[in-house]
Amino acid sequence: MDPSLLRREAEAIGGRLTAWRRDLHQHPEIGFQERRTASIVAGELRALGLDVQTGIAETGVVAVLQGERPGCTLMLRWDMDALPIQEAAGAPYASVHPGLMHACGHDGHVAIGLGVAQVLSSHRSEVRGCVKLLFQPGEEGLGGAERMIAAGVLENPVPDAALGVHLWNVRPVGWFGIADGPVMAGAELLEIEILGQGGHGAAPQQATDPVVAAAQVVSALQTIVSRNLDPRATAVVSVTQIHAGETFNVIPDRAVLRGTIRTFEPEIRQMVMRRVTEVTAGIAAALGCTARVRLTPLTPPVVNDPAVSAKVRAAARGLFPDAVVDESERSMVSEDMAFFLQAVPGCFSLVGSADRERGQGPAHHNSQFDFDEAVLPRAVALLAAATIDLLSEA
Ligand code: NI
C-alpha cells in the first residue's frame, strides 16, 4: 500500500473531518449520555455499508468492516465523551451546552475514527481480514472500557490486535509518540482515615489530634518517591484532599485524606502501596492515632506490545518522513484503553496536536483547550496505514 496515496486520501477528506469535529465540539455529551454523538457515528458508518451495532454499554457503537480477503481481526478504539467543564476558549464552534466541553480532544478522536472508516472502506480490496471499530462511551473515569468488554466487544470476532490514539497537546502537529511497553500510568484511588480523640482546641493535652497526624502523614508520604523508589524509576503519590474538623476551637475525632497513586510497573506499584500503608500506620501510631488505608485500583497502565508499536512507528515514518517519531514519551495520566490492551496486544499512540503558531496548545482538561485541526487527516492516515499493514503482515 502506497503511503503517499493514503496520505492524500486522508487530506482530501480534511474538510469533512473538521466539520465532524466542530459539530461534535459544539454538542458535547458526558459519559454514557453520548446519544447524539452515537447516532451520528452509527449513521455515518451505516452509510459506508458497515455492519453496525448500537446501545453497547449504553451508548457505545461497534462496527465491522470486512475486507475482501480473509485474515485476522484488528480492533480500533475511539472514545466519545466530554467533560463537565465550562468552555472558555471562545471559538466559533464552542460548546452550546453550558458546563459541558470537549476538553480532552475526544471530539477529534470520533472524527478521526469516522475518517479511518471512510478511507478503509474505499480500500476493502486491500484489507485482509476484518476491522472492528469501537466507539466507546464514558472514558473519563467512568469505566466505559470495562463495560464494553463486559458487553462482549472482545468476542465474535476476537481481535488479534488493537490500536488507539490520543491527541496530545503537549506536542506540536508533526510529532508522534509511539513507545514500547507502558505509555500511560496505572492509577489507584488512595483514601486514608486517621482516627484520634477530639477535644477542646485550647486543651490539646486532653485530646489526640488527628489533624497534626494527617499533616505529618502528607509530608511523610512524599518520602516514598524520594527515598524508597529507585531514582531512575517513576511513580507519583499525590494527596489532593484533606477533610477534618467543623470549627476553629474543636479538635476533631478524625481526619480524612484522599489522593492518587500512579505507577507503570507492577513491582513499583506493590512497593508504593505497601509503603503508603506502612508510613501512614507508623506516623499515626507515633502520634497516638490509628489509621485506615484503603487503596482502590482504578485503571491499569496502558502497555504497548513492542511488535505492534514497531509496525505503527514504521507506518508513521513511511507516511511522514519528516515527522518526529518519539519512542520514549510516557505520561503519568491514565486511560482506560488499558483494559483493552490487557486483553489484546496493541498500541496506543500519542499524536501531537498543538497549534504550530502558538507553539504549544492549552493543556488537556483545561477550559481553554483546543487543538490544531491539521492533526486530523494525519491521524487518519496513520491509523489507516497501520491497520492495512498490520492485517497484511499478520
Ligand atoms: Ni482523553
Side-chain angles (χ1 to χ4, degrees), residues 20-34:
W20 279 325
R21 182 267 160 156
R22 291 188 177 191
D23 177 59
L24 295 166
H25 193 88
Q26 274 195 295
H27 303 94
E29 294 171 301
I30 204 89
F32 299 114
Q33 291 175 32
E34 306 93 334

Side-chain angles (χ1 to χ4, degrees), residues 3 310-320 381-382 385-387 389:
K311 286 178 181 165
V312 180
R313 278 195 295 273
R317 291 184 175 123
L319 286 161
F320 307 105
L382 175 68
T387 298
D389 291 351

Side-chain angles (χ1 to χ4, degrees), residues 59-277:
T59 48
V61 179
V62 176
V64 173
L65 186 151
Q66 200 68 52
E68 286 180 12
R69 294 186 284 162
C72 294
T73 297
L74 186 92
M75 186 185 108
L76 299 174
R77 172 276 202 175
W78 321 97
D79 45 7
M80 304 191 288
D81 56 330
L83 285 157
I85 292 176
Q86 177 63 44
E87 180 155 6
Y93 47 86
S95 168
V96 299
H97 298 316
L100 276 182
M101 178 188 177
H102 268 295
C104 197
H106 300 185
D107 49 342
H109 300 168
V110 174
I112 294 164
L114 293 177
V116 172
Q118 187 171 333
V119 169
L120 290 177
S121 290
S122 60
H123 287 280
R124 278 179 205 244
S125 56
E126 284 117 299
V127 174
R128 277 182 58 173
C130 111
V131 183
K132 198 168 186 173
L133 296 133
L134 254 73
F135 290 82
Q136 179 204 308
E139 189 285 323
E140 296 288 1
L142 300 172
E146 284 175 289
R147 285 187 60 182
M148 281 202 104
I149 293 169
V153 298
L154 295 183
E155 289 144 40
N156 197 22
V158 176
D160 299 286
L163 298 178
V165 289
H166 208 298
L167 297 180
W168 205 234
N169 254 24
V170 182
R171 305 286 180 185
V173 172
W175 177 97
F176 296 94
I178 310 168
D180 295 342
V183 291
M184 286 194 172
E188 257 70 35
L189 166 64
L190 164 64
E191 293 173 292
I192 297 172
E193 188 182 23
I194 297 171
L195 301 167
Q197 176 78 55
H200 200 295
Q205 78 282 7
Q206 294 169 359
T208 304
D209 189 348
V211 174
V212 171
Q216 298 203 17
V217 165
V218 174
S219 294
L221 291 180
Q222 306 314 307
T223 65
I224 297 170
V225 172
S226 69
R227 303 291 87 180
N228 298 135
L229 184 68
D230 182 328
R232 295 162 297 182
T234 305
V236 173
V237 179
S238 288
V239 176
T240 54
Q241 291 177 284
I242 305 179
H243 295 287
E246 300 295 336
T247 188
F248 79 98
N249 59 356
V250 175
I251 293 170
D253 287 321
R254 66 197 276 271
V256 174
L257 308 176
R258 296 176 92 227
T260 188
I261 294 171
R262 303 294 167 110
T263 54
F264 289 117
E265 287 88 11
E267 320 77 63
I268 292 174
R269 173 176 179 267
Q270 285 306 326
M271 183 279 285
V272 172
M273 295 201 303
R274 177 174 56 78
R275 288 299 291 150
V276 163
T277 307

Side-chain angles (χ1 to χ4, degrees), residues 344-386:
V344 182
C347 175
F348 193 60
S349 306
L350 304 173
V351 183
S353 56
D355 187 304
R356 283 172 242 149
E357 311 275 272
R358 283 180 290 167
Q360 201 158 34
H364 294 264
H365 293 210
N366 178 298
S367 62
Q368 303 274 346
F369 181 84
D370 201 0
F371 61 83
D372 185 347
E373 289 161 336
V375 70
L376 299 173
R378 297 174 72 94
V380 167
L382 175 68
L383 272 288

